[in-house]
Each structure stands twice: as C-alpha cells, then as structure tokens.
Amino acid sequence: MVATRFTHVLWCSFFCLSSPVFGQNNIPATLESARAYLTQNDLKPARLLFKNVLQQDKKNASALSGLGEIAFRERDWKKVKRHFKKVLKIDAADADAHYFSGIAHRETGKFKGPLLREFDLSKSIHHLRFLTENQPKFKDCFYQLALTFRQKKRYTTVIELIQRQIEIKPELDTIQVDLLRHYRSYLRHTDAKEASRWLMNQTWEQAEYFLGELARRSGDLPQAMAIFKTMLKKHKKLSIQPILLSIAKAHFAHGDFQQAESAIHRAIEETASPLDALFLFSELKYIFSQEELDSFGHISRPQDFQRFFQVFWRKRNPTPAAALNPRLIEHLRRILYAENAYEFDGLRSWNNNPDKLKWLNFPPGYNLNKEFNDKGLIYIRHGEPDERVFTLGESVPINESWRYSHANGRHDNFFHFFSSPGNNWRLGSVIEQREILTDLAHWDPIYYRLTQGSPLEKLALESELANQLNNSIENGFTTDRHTFAKSVKALDTPFTSATFRGKTGKTRFDLYVGVPTKPIVLASKDRVADHRLEIGFAVHDSNWQPIHQELRTQQIISGSAENLPEQQELLLYSHEIAPQKVHVAFHVRPENSDFLGGVKFETDIPAYSLTELDMSDVILAYGIQPATVNSNYTHYSLDVIPNPANEFHRTQPVNIYFEIYNLKLDDRGTCNYSIEYNLSLVKKKNSFTQKMFGFLQKKQKESITLRNSQEGNSEFNVEYVGLDIRNMAPGEYRLRILVHDKNTEMAVMRDKNLTID
C-alpha cells in the first residue's frame, strides 16, 4: 500500500513539474488542456489540472465547474452540489451551475425520506426553472425539469414540459422517444375517463396517438384502429413508427397475425431517419443482444437502419420460408402480456434491492429498461418459464423463482425474484430463507447443501451460487429464445445435405428431408384422405441477406391407417449457390395439423476446383438404380434415393454415391485411380440382449475396408457402390472414402457419419 501511494505521489509530482503549463503559471492554457482531457473523458489528468488552477486561484469558476462536471460523470452527486454551489457564489447566473445542481439535487432527493426528499426536489426545481425562464434554449433544461416533476408524480406537468422541450429543440431525438414513456406512465397512473378528457383537450399529435393507445389498452380495438388509421393519413410531427407498432399490437390482439406482421415490416421499410429508428429500437431493445446494441450505435443512414431491423427478425425466424414469422408474433404476444402483468416505472433503490451485496453483474442492455420489472425483462426475452416455484411463510419475503431448461447439455438458467410494493419484482442472489432453499432443492444440489452447511461452508456456497446465477443473468439478458404454443407438436424430420460441382463456378446444394407419414395420418380425423404438407426452404448468406427461398405444398397419399407401416415422405431442395458460408432453414407443416418439423443450421458451400483433383460430398442412399425417367433424384442417369437420417438396418446395404472431378488423363487419354472405402465403428451400441447373452452370439465386425482400382477416359466420374453390413456390430460409424489419382499421385478424402442398428 505504501509503495503504491508513493508511486502515485511521484507520478503526480512529475506530471505537475514537467508540464510547461504549470511552470509558466499560465491559467488559461491549463484550463484549455484540462478541458481537452475532459472532452476525451480522460478524467484523471483533467482533475489534476483543474485542481492545480484552484491552487493558484481558489475562486476560479471554470476550474470549479470542471471539477463539478467530472463529479457529474462519476455520479458523485454530493461533490457536484459542492463544486457548483461555489460557482454560483461567484456567478449567480452561471447556466452550467444551475443545470448540474438541478440534476444533482434530484438524484440525491429521490432516494431520501419525505421531508428531505421534498427539500432536494424543490432545490432541483429552483435551479432548473431558473434556466427555463432565463435561458430556455440551454441544453435540455425543460426535459430535466420534467424528470424532477416525475419524481413528484405530476404526470401532466411532465408531459407539458417535454412537449415544450421538443418545440424548442426538435433535434433532440432521444427526448422525443422518451416522451412516449411518460405518456404511458400517465395512462398507467390515471383513471381512464380522466386521462381521456385531458388528452382530448391537448393539441399535440402525441396526445391524439395516446387516445388510441388508451383505447387499445382498454380493449376497444375498433376505436383504437380508427384513431391510428386517421393519424397515418395526417401525421406531421410524430413519426409513423409508433403508430404502426400500435397498429401491429391491435391486429395481434384481434387475432390478425398477418396484418400485425405487415405493420411491423412497414414500420421498418418506412424508416427514414435516426428518430424513426429510435422508435423501433425503443420497442425491440428488450431482446437485443450485446452485439446488436453495439452495431446499432454505429448506424446513421436510413437504408442501414432498415437493413438492420430486417436482419434482426430474419435471424430470429424459425421458419423463414413461411408466410408468417412466428418469432415476431410471439414477441408481440409477450409484450402485450408484459404490459398487463409486469409493468413497473417506480423507483429502483438500494432499499428495495434484494441483491444488496451486489453479487449480481448485469450486462449493459439491462439498464435500458425503465418500464418493466425484472420478471418482465426475462419474460419478454424467453417467454414462459419451464417451471415456477414460490414459497409462502410468515418470515419469508414475497418470492418467485423461474427455471428455463436447456436440452443441449448446458446448465439450466435460474432466476430468483423478490417483490416489494408496486409490482417491483427484482432479481436476488443470496437466499437466506431455509424454506425457499428447501423448495428449490430439486433444481440443483447447491440449494440443499446451503440448508446443511456450516457458516463457513455457506459463504463458499453462496459465492458458488452467485457465480451460477451470474451465468444465468448473462444468458438471460443477452439472448432470447422462441417458444411455440403448447399445442404445437414436434414432427421428427431427419435431414442431410450434400454439395456437388455446379455450373459457372457455383456449387449445387442439395438438402434431403424425411417426413414420417404415420403420425400425421393417425392424428388426422380422416385417416384415409390424402394429406398436404406445407414445405419451406430458405437460404441466407452470412449477413442474413436472402439468397433463395421457396414455399410449396406437397401431397402425401395414404391408404387406410389400420396397421400402417412406418413410412417416410422424402423431400428435396436443390439450388446452385456461389461458394460461401450460409444459413439454411427448412420447415414442414401438415395442413390442418398441430405438427411442425424443421431446423436451422449454418454450413459452408465449398468451392470445387476446376483443375485439381476433387470430389463431391457423399450421399448415403436407400437405393441406387438406373433411371427410367428423369426426376429430382436423378444423377447422371441414376436414381439416387437418399436416406436423410443416415440410419441403416443391418439387413440393408449402405448405398453410396459421389462424384470425382478433374482426374488427370495420361498420354493415352486414360485416367487411372483407386478408391478405398473404410467403415469404422466410432461408438458401439449394446442392446439388453447383447449385454446379457453377447458371449453366445457370433462375433460381429467393427470395421470393413473395400479397395478397387479403375480406369476410364474422362476427368469426371460417377461412383456408386453398396456395402454389405449384415455382419457389422450395431453402433455409430464413420465412413471414409479416399480417392487416389495414380497419374498425379494426388488424393482427396471425404467422411460421412452413419448409424447401423
């Protein structure tokens, strides 16, 4: 500690003595340097320079003001008040001093008891009113005064002051957006009839808009839509985006999901300014990732904002080829639910914070919220939890815990909420109540261990729990997830893909999907009728710009459902794509059914060489036979029927198809090459019978290798073969195919995974 302090003193002395500014006792130059550091937010040298000036001139208002601004940036409100109080003694009309003093008194006052709170808020009003009456164009003084009156719950005064601020400085975009939040607070805390009368007496477009919002929130959707549609035609000052967002909510509430999505897309397409984009941001910020927050802050052009929000929804869409984006619709549902259940615009203080020791670390996006409690923020991002637990008891605070499970092996996410008056549900960390821990013991062993450990062990366990909860918070506030309605049933749709050399430098990408027909037919009321599938395929580039998509219907023909065997409808998507990384998605939805299948994944579309030895991906097929009529599954006069699951029974051969490119022809015009097929067990599968009586069974193979040499007269060759797997052990296998060009001694290899039952 001594060494550190000594180093700091030496550094300060060196800084002061070595600077020519100090040596010359040049106060204007010193102030200029200090201001330059302050502009760059380099507070340490700025503070030293301002203090040096005060050593020479204790009443230098510029230096005192500079120290006050530094304290303001550090949110040290006591120092802000102290420094600017000195400034006002020197110059009672100093605008900066009134401005920063007004804010500082508000920020300290709002956390105090009634008498001291009123004292500080009155001082805040005094300082800020000095500006609104004498220098009305100074910064955002009307807005800051409005925020002080917000602490006094004078909602109409707040709105009037912010409307005045916008009239004086319409370029303050963030204030125009924030004005709507204060209108919502007014509706939230005011009787509907009284609010309607007051809004009708105002001339601002925002007031007319909130007449529509009042009707929408009250359930009078026809009246709300009439107001919103009228405003679409005549709005001048208010951006179109909040109107369209409200229209989307009204359509959703009425069950018109397609119209709701169209309104959102129109709001995006008609984004013509940063202000328009901020209105969209204010609605969608609750599900932004940190990467999206960072990106949004660097956008300025309207077309870039449009593209940003288009991509925002594309990459969240689980069925991008479908007519409707389920994730967008689910977001509207969650927002409307949160409006009713989780709104909170009150004071979040240390006193009502269940995490008083500050174990929890919240990401930056968390602080953007001013309208929902912590339950609402998690709900908007992740939807209904997989499990809710709450504990009742005389000495137990009002509580509720949510668990979101993960099927991919990651740790479940846990959130523990504690309530204080006014719907103020906040996240807590350390749980001291034994009753709560007991009720949560089935979630994770740590909760049970906390009920049993010694005081010293509990300290370590509390730290471990805090780390676990911080992982949940990091994931909970930087990601979001889509959830389908509980009525939707998952349809197992195994798939595989393959690429082949295409034309003009492109690559042919094939996607094979299997659809089990039995569950679809059995779930149908009419088991004999034909059934139709909605099938969608979509491909986007790495920046989520569309490459190709198709949406079609396909009929599956079924006979009687009695004793229906396991059958599979085979679907194919094929398109030529320039080599690149792509996002691929498909979905399968039987009409008039609750089934839904599909998946999204990333893959690389490779570039096939035009000169060096290369080979396509490998198709594992149910069957390969000469084509009599060309079909979607025809490859160079062969019908190749893919096995999308890559699962084979030992009674079936493993049919293999691939293509070889750029074989070297010798002087005789002949290619000479060899192919090695190696099928090796990766993970053995033992049934109960094999475990019990395996010693009585014939020994099974775990690998086979097949080699052959071939000659031809073309640089391109189609290869297909069937592997006999009757004697192979059940399990997971890797098929490795090695092609060796004997004319060039070059080789190329492909791997493919499969399962043998």
Side-chain angles (χ1 to χ4, degrees):
M1 180 65 74
V2 174
T4 303
R5 180 177 176 83
F6 180 69
T7 303
H8 178 70
V9 172
L10 276 180
W11 185 88
C12 292
S13 302
F14 175 78
F15 186 92
C16 296
L17 293 174
S18 62
S19 173
V21 172
F22 287 101
Q24 298 171 8
N25 196 26
N26 188 338
I27 288 178
T30 305
L31 288 172
E32 185 178 351
S33 297
R35 280 287 166 188
Y37 280 118
L38 187 58
T39 301
Q40 297 169 9
N41 206 35
D42 195 350
L43 303 185
K44 193 171 185 178
R47 182 184 283 111
L48 287 170
L49 291 170
F50 285 131
K51 284 185 175 180
N52 184 266
V53 170
L54 291 174
Q55 287 176 359
Q56 300 171 66
D57 179 6
K58 292 182 179 180
K59 294 186 177 182
N60 188 287
S62 294
L64 288 168
S65 183
L67 289 176
E69 286 190 48
I70 291 173
F72 180 84
R73 296 188 189 190
E74 295 175 335
R75 300 181 67 83
D76 189 337
W77 305 119
K78 289 183 179 179
K79 286 185 179 179
V80 173
K81 290 190 284 187
R82 185 171 73 242
H83 291 310
F84 284 111
K85 185 176 182 180
K86 294 178 181 179
V87 173
L88 288 171
K89 285 183 178 180
I90 299 168
D91 180 3
D94 186 283
D96 278 323
H98 282 291
Y99 181 81
F100 290 112
S101 295
I103 294 173
H105 279 287
R106 180 183 70 232
E107 293 305 309
T108 55
K110 65 185 183 183
F111 296 113
K112 293 180 179 179
L115 290 177
L116 293 176
R117 171 187 171 88
E118 185 62 31
F119 177 80
D120 265 10
L121 293 181
S122 295
K123 282 203 164 190
S124 174
I125 292 171
H126 165 76
H127 286 296
L128 294 169
R129 267 193 172 151
F130 176 88
L131 295 174
T132 60
E133 292 172 0
N134 296 284
Q135 296 189 48
K137 293 187 178 181
F138 185 80
K139 295 186 177 179
D140 57 348
C141 59
F142 280 91
Y143 175 70
Q144 294 299 335
L145 181 58
L147 295 184
T148 300
F149 276 108
R150 172 67 182 82
Q151 297 303 318
K152 298 170 76 69
K153 299 183 179 180
R154 291 176 52 180
Y155 302 107
T156 55
T157 302
V158 171
I159 292 170
E160 289 164 355
L161 286 167
I162 299 179
Q163 293 280 182
R164 177 63 177 146
Q165 181 69 81
I166 293 172
E167 290 171 4
I168 294 173
K169 288 192 171 184
E171 71 274 12
L172 297 178
D173 289 353
T174 56
I175 293 177
Q176 292 210 44
V177 174
D178 198 46
L179 172 61
L180 303 195
R181 173 173 70 92
H182 295 285
Y183 269 101
R184 285 191 287 270
S185 287
Y186 172 64
L187 295 188
R188 196 174 298 131
H189 298 286
T190 308
D191 174 76
K193 289 184 179 179
E194 180 184 343
S196 179
R197 284 194 297 270
W198 186 83
L199 290 169
M200 290 179 69
N201 286 328
Q202 311 310 314
T203 58
W204 309 302
E205 285 188 359
Q206 291 89 342
E208 183 180 0
Y209 165 67
F210 273 94
L211 277 171
E213 275 289 272
L214 179 61
R216 180 186 68 79
R217 286 174 171 243
S218 302
D220 190 350
L221 299 180
Q223 175 66 13
M225 288 297 291
I227 293 172
F228 295 145
K229 288 182 177 180
T230 299
M231 291 198 71
L232 285 180
K233 297 176 183 177
K234 67 174 188 178
H235 75 99
K236 294 180 180 178
K237 294 183 178 180
L238 180 63
S239 291
I240 197 173
Q241 279 63 36
I243 303 170
L244 288 169
L245 291 171
S246 291
I247 287 174
K249 292 175 184 177
H251 278 307
F252 177 89
H254 194 257
D256 299 329
F257 298 157
Q258 193 67 62
Q259 293 291 336
E261 182 170 342
S262 296
I264 297 287
H265 288 315
R266 181 181 171 187
I268 293 171
E269 291 163 3
E270 296 192 24
T271 298
S273 68
L275 175 60
D276 295 344
L278 278 175
F279 278 116
L280 285 173
F281 173 80
S282 68
E283 181 76 20
L284 302 176
K285 63 186 178 183
Y286 302 106
I287 58 173
F288 266 49
S289 68
Q290 186 58 50
E291 181 183 0
E292 288 167 336
L293 282 174
D294 295 339
S295 298
F296 185 80
H298 292 91
I299 302 174
S300 58
R301 299 188 305 169
Q303 60 267 37
D304 293 332
F305 283 121
Q306 293 169 11
R307 179 170 172 167
F308 175 88
F309 287 112
Q310 288 165 351
V311 169
F312 182 89
W313 284 119
R314 278 181 198 146
K315 65 184 181 182
R316 285 172 167 80
N317 189 349
T319 57
L324 201 64
N325 182 341
R327 181 65 186 92
L328 187 154
I329 299 304
E330 172 64 7
H331 177 72
L332 288 173
R333 187 196 68 78
R334 293 177 188 176
I335 282 288
L336 291 178
Y337 185 84
E339 278 183 358
N340 292 319
Y342 301 128
E343 280 190 332
F344 175 76
D345 59 4
L347 194 62
R348 298 168 67 90
S349 67
W350 182 86
N351 289 329
N352 59 39
N353 186 359
D355 182 37
K356 287 184 169 58
L357 297 178
K358 296 188 176 180
W359 288 95
L360 303 181
N361 301 312
F362 293 92
Y366 174 81
N367 298 313
L368 295 173
N369 166 59
K370 293 181 181 179
E371 298 196 66
F372 297 101
N373 59 35
D374 288 353
K375 273 188 179 182
L377 297 183
I378 294 297
Y379 186 86
I380 292 169
R381 283 185 176 272
H382 301 281
E384 184 66 24
D386 296 304
E387 185 179 1
R388 297 174 185 248
V389 172
F390 60 90
T391 303
L392 300 176
E394 291 184 5
S395 59
V396 177
I398 300 173
N399 66 91
E400 188 171 325
S401 294
W402 292 1
R403 179 181 63 82
Y404 291 90
S405 60
H406 286 286
N408 58 5
R410 288 187 299 161
H411 202 288
D412 290 353
N413 286 328
F414 303 144
F415 302 98
H416 305 304
F417 304 100
F418 295 87
S419 179
S420 56
N423 203 30
N424 185 14
W425 287 91
R426 299 185 68 177
L427 281 162
S429 54
V430 176
I431 301 174
E432 298 176 348
Q433 295 76 21
R434 186 182 182 89
E435 298 91 334
I436 299 178
L437 294 168
T438 300
D439 287 345
L440 296 173
H442 66 289
W443 280 10
D444 192 282
I446 193 171
Y447 297 105
Y448 175 76
R449 289 157 58 200
L450 277 165
T451 66
Q452 304 298 314
S454 66
L456 187 60
E457 289 171 331
K458 285 182 179 179
L459 287 175
L461 289 170
E462 286 173 353
S463 178
E464 181 183 339
L465 177 60
N467 289 334
Q468 186 184 109
L469 294 177
N470 272 318
N471 289 334
S472 294
I473 282 174
E474 177 67 23
N475 187 54
F477 288 101
T478 58
T479 66
D480 64 287
R481 72 169 190 172
H482 176 64
T483 51
F484 286 100
K486 292 182 178 179
S487 59
V488 175
K489 303 174 187 175
L491 184 65
D492 183 31
T493 50
F495 72 96
T496 190
S497 63
T499 60
F500 305 88
R501 188 172 69 182
K503 301 174 182 177
T504 62
K506 290 188 175 182
T507 297
R508 172 179 165 180
F509 172 74
D510 285 2
L511 181 63
Y512 315 111
V513 180
V515 181
T517 58
K518 185 174 182 178
I520 298 171
V521 175
L522 292 178
S524 173
K525 294 180 180 179
D526 188 351
R527 297 187 177 183
V528 181
D530 295 341
H531 301 274
R532 299 177 67 82
L533 303 177
E534 177 190 278
I535 306 160
F537 297 94
V539 182
H540 294 84
D541 67 17
S542 59
N543 294 315
W544 289 97
Q545 297 307 302
I547 293 177
H548 183 252
Q549 73 177 51
E550 62 180 56
L551 183 66
R552 65 176 189 256
T553 58
Q554 183 166 320
Q555 195 169 39
I556 55 175
I557 302 174
S558 59
S560 171
E562 298 300 325
N563 301 314
L564 185 70
E566 290 293 341
Q567 293 180 347
Q568 198 175 66
E569 190 79 8
L570 189 61
L571 310 177
L572 167 67
Y573 168 80
S574 184
H575 190 69
E576 292 208 353
I577 302 171
Q580 60 187 297
K581 184 183 287 293
V582 295
H583 302 277
V584 181
F586 73 86
H587 76 271
V588 179
R589 190 197 319 267
E591 291 184 357
N592 304 315
S593 168
D594 291 328
F595 280 112
L596 177 64
V599 74
K600 291 173 68 176
F601 62 96
E602 284 186 28
T603 190
D604 286 312
I605 305 297
Y608 284 99
S609 175
L610 298 176
T611 56
E612 296 183 350
L613 180 68
D614 212 339
M615 66 181 289
S616 72
D617 286 334
V618 176
I619 299 178
L620 302 183
Y622 288 120
I624 301 175
Q625 59 191 25
T628 54
V629 178
N630 281 345
S631 71
N632 292 333
Y633 302 101
T634 302
H635 290 258
Y636 296 97
S637 301
L638 292 173
D639 279 341
V640 181
I641 310 302
N643 179 341
N646 293 331
E647 295 177 354
F648 294 85
H649 192 270
R650 282 175 293 168
T651 58
Q652 304 171 276
V654 175
N655 294 289
I656 301 168
Y657 174 91
F658 61 96
E659 299 168 3
I660 304 174
Y661 312 118
N662 307 319
L663 289 163
K664 182 70 173 178
L665 302 180
D666 61 17
D667 295 340
R668 298 179 295 120
T670 302
C671 62
N672 188 359
Y673 62 98
S674 64
I675 305 175
E676 178 181 291
Y677 302 86
N678 176 259
L679 185 64
S680 298
L681 182 66
V682 175
K683 184 178 180 181
K684 195 168 186 178
K685 178 182 178 182
N686 288 323
S687 66
F688 176 78
T689 303
Q690 289 169 324
K691 290 178 181 179
M692 294 296 294
F693 307 106
F695 65 93
L696 297 176
Q697 296 180 346
K698 181 179 177 182
K699 185 171 178 61
Q700 296 172 317
K701 294 181 179 180
E702 295 185 355
S703 69
I704 55 173
T705 301
L706 176 66
R707 299 182 182 89
N708 61 49
S709 295
Q710 296 184 199
E711 289 187 354
N713 56 9
S714 173
E715 60 85 28
F716 167 78
N717 274 287
V718 167
E719 299 293 333
Y720 61 98
V721 68
L723 296 183
D724 187 344
I725 58 172
R726 283 177 292 182
N727 296 322
M728 303 301 292
E732 297 174 12
Y733 283 79
R734 181 202 66 203
L735 172 66
R736 173 164 289 175
I737 302 175
L738 177 67
V739 177
H740 176 221
D741 186 344
K742 296 181 180 180
N743 288 343
T744 62
E745 296 301 327
M746 294 184 67
V748 64
M749 182 176 67
R750 292 287 182 270
D751 287 346
K752 191 76 172 180
N753 295 323
L754 65 146
T755 301
I756 297 176
D757 291 328

